[in-house]
């Protein structure tokens, strides 16, 4: 049996107001059309739903049973409509983002503050990810989009959009302060203890290729599980490490670490927004994506 939803909707309003005329007014229809719809519904279901009299209509036992079900469904539909209206006006909603540490501190946090000020009712769920984890999360539909640093290779339906460039430099702690007094040769770095992120990160891949492009092989003395560990390791003279300005500026100002110039330029990297184009994003996520791309 396939009964038109419109019949159930008309039945709901007739039963709620116990009046064909009032139901017709609410539905912007007329009484004959409403009566015809109810007759068709009764024929489809094979039972009477209303007892008609001069005083109006009352539900039969079958009608009361159907109304208990239809009214519950109607309430759910009305609640869904209200929630969608709130989402459209960005009063409520949720965004899930996979983000690397560099992208979090360099790009996302300032934008997130601005977005939250504009739309305080939107909840944001952040997941710290590597590039590989970000791709997996997107394919599984666990996040709306990911913010990660290059190098990154994606295939359709994933799409990567560069948002901003980041520049990194070499730094050392007080023990290595003398190296900051003159430009150092890249080929001399393997003679010093080097701190790099672990092999599962895009940052490690980037520096592996950077050194290989200059005919060098670099084996770090210390591997950090997260980028946030590198700065305190440099401060404590455990080795030399590469940092973006967002991580290094305050420590350089306080002379806790020292910028070491190299005889070759470290290529710029990009923070990219990656999303799965085969999955539609919710309204809140679309709005935040637009804000990120505008900056």
């Amino acid at each position: 049996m396939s009964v038109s939803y419109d019949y159930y909707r008309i039945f709901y309003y007739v039963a709620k107001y116990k009046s064909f005329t009032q139901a017709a007014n609410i539905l912007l229809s007329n009484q004959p059309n409403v009566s015809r719809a109810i007759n068709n519904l009764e024929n489809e279901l094979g039972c009477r739903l209303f007892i008609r009299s001069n005083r109006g209509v009352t539900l039969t036992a079958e009608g009361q049973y159907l109304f208990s079900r239809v009214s519950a469904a109607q309430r759910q539909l009305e609640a869904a409509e209200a929630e969608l209206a709130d989402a459209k006006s960005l009063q409520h909603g949720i965004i899930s983002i996979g983000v690397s540490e560099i992208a979090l501190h360099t790009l996302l946090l300032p934008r997130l503050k601005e977005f939250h000020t504009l739309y305080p009712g939107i909840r944001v769920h952040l997941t710290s990810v590597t590039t590989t984890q970000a791709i997996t999360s997107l394919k599984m539909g666990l996040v709306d989009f990911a913010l990660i640093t290059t190098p990154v290779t994606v295939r359709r339906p994933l799409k990567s959009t560069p948002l901003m460039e980041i520049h990194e430099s070499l730094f050392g702690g007080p023990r290595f302060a003398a190296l900051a007094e003159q430009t150092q040769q890249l080929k001399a770095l393997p003679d010093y203890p080097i701190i790099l992120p672990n092999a599962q990160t895009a940052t490690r891949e980037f520096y592996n290729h950077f050194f290989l492009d200059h005919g060098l092989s670099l084996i770090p003395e210390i591997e950090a599980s997260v980028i946030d560990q590198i700065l305190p390791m440099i401060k404590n003279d455990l080795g030399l490490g590469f940092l973006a300005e967002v991580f290094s500026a305050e420590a350089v100002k306080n002379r806790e670490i020292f910028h070491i110039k190299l005889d070759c330029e470290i290529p710029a990297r990009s923070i990219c927004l990656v999303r799965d184009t085969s999955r539609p994003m919710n309204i809140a996520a679309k709005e935040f994506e637009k804000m990120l791309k505008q900056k």
Side-chain angles (χ1 to χ4, degrees), residues 31-43:
Q31 186 171 338
N33 285 339
V34 170
S35 297
R36 191 179 305 112
I38 295 301
N39 288 334
N40 289 341
L41 179 59
E42 289 178 329
N43 290 333

Side-chain angles (χ1 to χ4, degrees), residues 191-212:
D191 295 334
Y192 297 95
I194 300 295
I195 305 166
L196 285 176
N198 65 52
Q200 284 70 49
T201 63
T203 298
R204 177 65 172 275
E205 180 184 351
F206 171 80
Y207 281 105
N208 283 345
H209 284 297
F210 173 60
F211 278 87
L212 285 174

Side-chain angles (χ1 to χ4, degrees), residues 35-86:
S35 297
R36 191 179 305 112
I38 295 301
N39 288 334
N40 289 341
L41 179 59
E42 289 178 329
N43 290 333
E44 291 277 359
L45 296 178
C47 62
R48 290 190 67 187
L49 300 172
F50 293 101
I51 300 172
R52 297 151 176 88
S53 69
N54 293 333
R55 292 177 297 177
V57 295
T58 57
L59 289 165
T60 64
E62 292 82 3
Q64 289 175 352
Y65 174 79
L66 181 62
F67 183 68
S68 69
R69 300 289 184 171
V70 172
S71 59
Q74 183 66 24
R75 286 194 297 270
Q76 290 293 321
L77 289 171
E78 290 174 354
E81 288 176 351
E83 288 173 4
L84 286 173
D86 281 348

